Amino acid sequence: MSGTDLWLIVVAGGPLLLLLVIVYVLLTRRRRGPAEQRESDRAAERLYREEGD
């Protein structure tokens, strides 16, 4: 394997690996349901009220 071949692997493989990681994260990201979203909103409001006191 020459230096040119290695450079091609680095230049082409880096962005390809990054793309695969981004796709994996987007596909496996956990989404919150409506009940979890409401609870999160309530908790945030509670924290803001406590900060205001």
Side-chain angles (χ1 to χ4, degrees):
M1 182 181 291
S2 70
T4 306
D5 294 336
L6 183 60
W7 186 246
L8 177 64
I9 291 171
V10 170
V11 169
L16 180 61
L17 180 63
L18 183 60
L19 177 65
L20 290 174
V21 168
I22 290 171
V23 168
Y24 173 77
V25 167
L26 290 175
L27 291 176
T28 60
R29 187 172 52 175
R30 182 178 173 278
R31 301 189 196 286
R32 292 187 291 181
E36 288 177 307
Q37 183 65 41
R38 282 192 302 272
E39 181 60 31
S40 177
D41 291 343
R42 283 190 204 116
E45 288 175 15
R46 198 173 328 128
L47 286 171
Y48 283 127
R49 279 195 305 267
E50 290 174 4
E51 278 289 317
D53 292 344

